[in-house]
Amino acid sequence: MYSPSSAGNSVRPFLTWQRISDWAQEHYRCRTFAKDERIPARPGLLYLVQRGSVRLTGNAQVNGPLDPDEPTPTTALMAQDEEAFLGFVGAGQPFEIVAQAPFTLHSFAHVDQTTVIWMYWHDLDNWPHFRREISDAFRHQHQRKLLWLSTLGQRRTIDRLIGFLTLLIEEFGESCDEGYYLPWSLTHAQIGSAIGSTRVTITRLMGKLRQRGMIQVYGDGLLCLPTADPSTPLQKQA
């Protein structure tokens, strides 16, 4: 069973990581980004997070006919083009940007000094074992996305919120005395965009979860899921 205590192993550096890093430096395929700086990723290329964390976002330009049963949106709402938070890519993990209209995906450095390596897929021919590890990493990401979709299918917003936070901290959480915490900050607006809610609603529900002791604030405003015993997987705390 997957748990936060095994997250460090799932994002370990690839076995040939040092060789890849040296190759990227020699071929000018490595760049470091400041916090919230957009990463100019292009479809058809493979990207590897060497250090830090990448935030993936997406939006869609859908101009379908108005539903007569739905209220007419206001000008302010129609003008909004907010990007939905789609998840993180941590150090040692790959990602790619897929282009398919009307959807647009973007990547940003979520923390300062985030370093990203990029290459063409045929570059992997030089490292067959590395190619297999890349495939395994994408397979793992696909499985996590299916769990994410299952969470988004929950009717109640608070259930979607709890499921979302649990999945994030299971994937990237680090152990602390209280339980497991997400090592990167995440705004209420970003959480709302990820689960189809609003910042105001997320702020209210987060307050309820804190009152119930279901979440805590760790360090400098980081999210923490408390457990009775930090060595016990979250799934066994239910």
Side-chain angles (χ1 to χ4, degrees), residues 203-218:
T203 299
R204 175 174 58 82
L205 293 179
M206 293 286 278
K208 286 186 176 182
L209 294 179
R210 283 195 296 270
Q211 291 175 356
R212 298 174 185 176
M214 298 179 67
I215 63 171
Q216 295 180 3
V217 176
Y218 177 80

Side-chain angles (χ1 to χ4, degrees), residues 15-105:
L15 297 178
T16 54
W17 188 262
Q18 188 59 52
R19 293 172 57 196
I20 298 294
S21 179
D22 293 342
W23 174 89
Q25 293 286 348
E26 294 172 1
H27 293 79
Y28 304 99
R29 302 282 188 86
C30 184
R31 179 176 168 183
T32 299
F33 299 87
K35 177 178 171 58
D36 294 326
E37 184 177 357
R38 182 171 175 177
I39 299 170
R42 306 196 310 270
L45 298 178
L46 172 65
Y47 296 87
L48 308 171
V49 181
Q50 182 179 26
R51 180 176 58 188
S53 173
V54 170
R55 181 176 72 250
L56 299 180
T57 66
N59 55 19
Q61 294 289 344
V62 181
N63 298 316
L66 292 178
D67 188 337
D69 295 329
E70 292 291 333
T72 303
T74 63
T75 302
L77 289 175
M78 294 175 66
Q80 290 181 351
D81 186 23
E82 296 184 354
E83 292 189 332
F85 170 71
L86 300 179
F88 291 121
V89 184
Q93 292 184 330
F95 71 96
E96 61 179 342
I97 297 296
V98 179
Q100 181 174 338
F103 305 101
T104 304
L105 303 181

Side-chain angles (χ1 to χ4, degrees), residues 1-233:
M1 184 73 72
Y2 186 82
S3 69
S5 59
S6 64
N9 292 330
S10 67
V11 296
R12 59 174 170 70
F14 298 113
L15 297 178
T16 54
W17 188 262
Q18 188 59 52
R19 293 172 57 196
I20 298 294
S21 179
D22 293 342
W23 174 89
Q25 293 286 348
E26 294 172 1
H27 293 79
Y28 304 99
R29 302 282 188 86
C30 184
R31 179 176 168 183
T32 299
F33 299 87
K35 177 178 171 58
D36 294 326
E37 184 177 357
R38 182 171 175 177
I39 299 170
R42 306 196 310 270
L45 298 178
L46 172 65
Y47 296 87
L48 308 171
V49 181
Q50 182 179 26
R51 180 176 58 188
S53 173
V54 170
R55 181 176 72 250
L56 299 180
T57 66
N59 55 19
Q61 294 289 344
V62 181
N63 298 316
L66 292 178
D67 188 337
D69 295 329
E70 292 291 333
T72 303
T74 63
T75 302
L77 289 175
M78 294 175 66
Q80 290 181 351
D81 186 23
E82 296 184 354
E83 292 189 332
F85 170 71
L86 300 179
F88 291 121
V89 184
Q93 292 184 330
F95 71 96
E96 61 179 342
I97 297 296
V98 179
Q100 181 174 338
F103 305 101
T104 304
L105 303 181
H106 300 293
S107 55
F108 298 86
H110 193 67
V111 296
D112 202 25
Q113 296 297 305
T114 292
T115 303
V116 175
I117 292 171
W118 68 271
M119 62 178 61
Y120 295 98
W121 282 95
H122 64 73
D123 291 327
L124 293 177
D125 294 340
N126 298 319
W127 303 286
H129 181 78
F130 184 62
R131 177 188 288 276
R132 288 193 295 272
E133 293 207 17
I134 290 289
S135 298
D136 290 341
F138 276 124
R139 187 178 302 111
H140 173 75
Q141 291 177 9
H142 175 68
Q143 293 171 345
R144 301 301 294 180
K145 289 303 180 185
L146 292 179
L147 295 177
W148 189 312
L149 289 175
S150 177
T151 293
L152 295 182
Q154 299 297 312
R155 184 178 61 85
R156 297 196 310 165
T157 303
I158 193 168
D159 292 334
R160 298 199 302 273
L161 175 59
I162 294 172
F164 169 77
L165 296 179
T166 300
L167 284 176
L168 271 186
I169 295 181
E170 281 185 348
E171 181 78 7
F172 302 104
E174 297 183 3
S175 178
C176 63
D177 291 339
E178 294 80 7
Y180 294 95
Y181 69 96
L182 187 67
W184 314 301
S185 61
L186 197 59
T187 69
H188 289 182
Q190 289 169 335
I191 295 174
S193 73
I195 67 171
S197 186
T198 65
R199 179 189 59 79
V200 174
T201 298
I202 296 303
T203 299
R204 175 174 58 82
L205 293 179
M206 293 286 278
K208 286 186 176 182
L209 294 179
R210 283 195 296 270
Q211 291 175 356
R212 298 174 185 176
M214 298 179 67
I215 63 171
Q216 295 180 3
V217 176
Y218 177 80
D220 190 17
L222 300 176
L223 290 171
C224 174
L225 292 185
T227 58
D229 179 359
S231 64
T232 305

